[in-house]
Amino acid sequence: DAGVIQSPRHEVTEMGQEVTLRCKPISGHNSLFWYRQTMMRGLELLIYFNNNVPIDDSGMPEDRFSAKMPNASFSTLKIQPSEPRDSAVYFCASSFQGGSPLHFGNGTRLTVT
Amino acid sequence: AQSVTQPDIHITVSEGASLELRCNYSYGATPYLFWYVQSPGQGLQLLLKYFSGDTLVQGIKGFEAEFKRSQSSFNLRKPSVHWSDAAEYFCAVGSLKAGGSYIPTFGRGTSLIVHP
């Protein structure tokens, strides 16, 4: 099992540009989560999906952030336009619905200059 | 709302010494509790979890944790630390969310430094 796969590992972009982060969950998992990690705020849940349907996006900081899960094996997190304060490590995680532990990807380190 | 407190930002131990990382939680119902470890540049890896039953939980890499309801604690322990244990450790409490999933809320983490 390859685990949760995120791409890219690193992204450097200029303020105002669109950024798309990608995630492939573990095959068979039906819940997918996007987290953001910063020194100031720690690990924050942005949004999660069950069976490809967004369940709770209350953690998405503002309308510049959007997430999609078009099928069971792929999800994207998009920031448009990006701002320097969006700089963080973004993690994707997947699990079986219902309380099973989350399996995390290695994250995407985003730097917005 | 649920919350997790890890009171120690950094812990330094010598290799071979015992380790205890503290975790206190706030949650209105029976909690689902987790410990994760994060090595530099990596994602979080599950060390152990508590859902119910025996309050002393064994995990991977020789770690264990004990759930104490009266103290709202779930401290992580290891009898003898190895240099490879140096990492960031996160305690989390799972709270029931819409859709029937238990979503972990993470503490701020404790950075473990191991001296040779």
Side-chain angles (χ1 to χ4, degrees), chain A residues 45-49 54-63 65-67:
Chain A
L45 177 65
L46 300 178
I47 185 171
Y48 76 95
F49 298 80
I55 302 299
D56 185 351
D57 65 355
S58 60
M60 297 284 262
E62 44 195 278
D63 291 345
F65 286 69
S66 63

Side-chain angles (χ1 to χ4, degrees), chain B residues 36-57:
Chain B
Y36 284 84
V37 60
Q38 183 181 28
S39 298
Q42 303 294 313
L44 280 72
Q45 179 185 20
L46 180 71
L47 283 175
L48 47 78
K49 63 183 185 289
Y50 171 79
F51 282 1
S52 64
D54 193 345
T55 57
L56 184 62
V57 180

Side-chain angles (χ1 to χ4, degrees), chain A residues 9 31 33 35 37-43 45 48 50 55-56 91 97-99 101-102 104-106, chain B residues 32 34 36 38 41-46 49 51 90 97-108:
Chain A
R9 286 299 309 274
S31 294
F33 308 80
Y35 280 86
Q37 185 179 38
T38 61
M39 291 292 292
M40 291 294 293
R41 302 175 68 91
L43 272 160
L45 177 65
Y48 76 95
N50 282 347
I55 302 299
D56 185 351
F91 287 103
Q97 182 179 346
L102 274 60
F104 283 79
N106 286 333
Chain B
Y32 284 12
F34 309 86
Y36 284 84
Q38 183 181 28
Q42 303 294 313
L44 280 72
Q45 179 185 20
L46 180 71
K49 63 183 185 289
F51 282 1
F90 293 90
K97 297 285 191 179
S101 293
Y102 281 86
I103 310 302
T105 297
F106 289 89
R108 295 303 300 273

Side-chain angles (χ1 to χ4, degrees), chain B residues 24-90:
Chain B
N24 293 97
Y25 67 90
S26 173
Y27 187 60
T30 299
Y32 284 12
L33 295 162
F34 309 86
W35 274 100
Y36 284 84
V37 60
Q38 183 181 28
S39 298
Q42 303 294 313
L44 280 72
Q45 179 185 20
L46 180 71
L47 283 175
L48 47 78
K49 63 183 185 289
Y50 171 79
F51 282 1
S52 64
D54 193 345
T55 57
L56 184 62
V57 180
Q58 301 298 318
I60 63 171
K61 304 185 181 185
F63 285 92
E64 66 178 26
E66 186 171 13
F67 170 57
K68 294 185 177 180
R69 184 186 299 275
S70 62
Q71 299 177 17
S72 297
S73 70
F74 189 57
N75 294 349
L76 182 71
R77 300 193 294 250
K78 186 170 185 178
S80 178
V81 171
H82 188 262
W83 64 267
S84 60
D85 293 324
E88 190 87 11
Y89 291 81
F90 293 90

